[in-house]
Amino acid sequence: MKPGSLLITGVTGFVGRHLLSVPAARRYRIFGAGRSRPSQKNRLSNLAGFYVGNLCDASFANRLIQTVKPDVIIHLAGRHASSARASRQAREFLSDNVVAPNRLLSAAARFSPKARNVIVGSSAEYGVSHSIRRRF
């Protein structure tokens, strides 16, 4: 039986790197995607392929899904809250955390409609809670 394919966006980040070592993930051919190649090549050793590009670019997202044909997509790519302070950074934050997942899911719906999707976010999506902030 042919193993399924697993696409992990943000595979070179903290969670992505650790996900590669999970035994259940090894049942799949694992593909990764990121904005740039990682500095350490050994991080890619478990991957069947790695694709460099920006998921905000619909043509990249479409090509990625068409090429990998994933059975499972784990979307870990995004920016954390500390990068949303300045106006330009706020635009990048929204683009990477709203536009990119939308483009990825749109491409998946079109080219790999049976793929199961896991979209991981952070507490930054809910904004700053001033009542909690005052406690610290």
Side-chain angles (χ1 to χ4, degrees), residues 19-100:
L19 186 58
L20 287 176
S21 65
V22 173
R26 295 184 194 138
R27 296 184 307 191
Y28 295 91
R29 289 181 336 238
I30 304 172
F31 296 87
R35 289 187 198 103
S36 60
R37 286 209 168 275
S39 57
Q40 297 175 356
K41 289 185 179 184
N42 61 349
R43 290 187 183 167
L44 300 177
S45 62
N46 293 343
L47 299 178
F50 184 83
Y51 299 88
V52 176
N54 187 338
L55 288 170
C56 293
D57 176 1
S59 63
F60 172 72
N62 288 336
R63 284 191 315 273
L64 177 65
I65 299 300
Q66 284 178 300
T67 303
V68 174
K69 296 178 180 51
D71 297 299
V72 178
I73 300 168
I74 301 178
H75 179 62
L76 302 172
R79 292 194 188 268
H80 50 80
S82 65
S83 42
R85 296 216 167 97
S87 177
R88 181 179 148 270
Q89 292 170 327
R91 282 192 300 274
E92 290 174 352
F93 179 81
L94 288 172
S95 183
D96 289 346
N97 293 323
V98 176
V99 175

Side-chain angles (χ1 to χ4, degrees), residues 93 121-129:
F93 179 81
S122 74
S123 61
E125 297 168 14
Y126 306 109
V128 176
S129 171

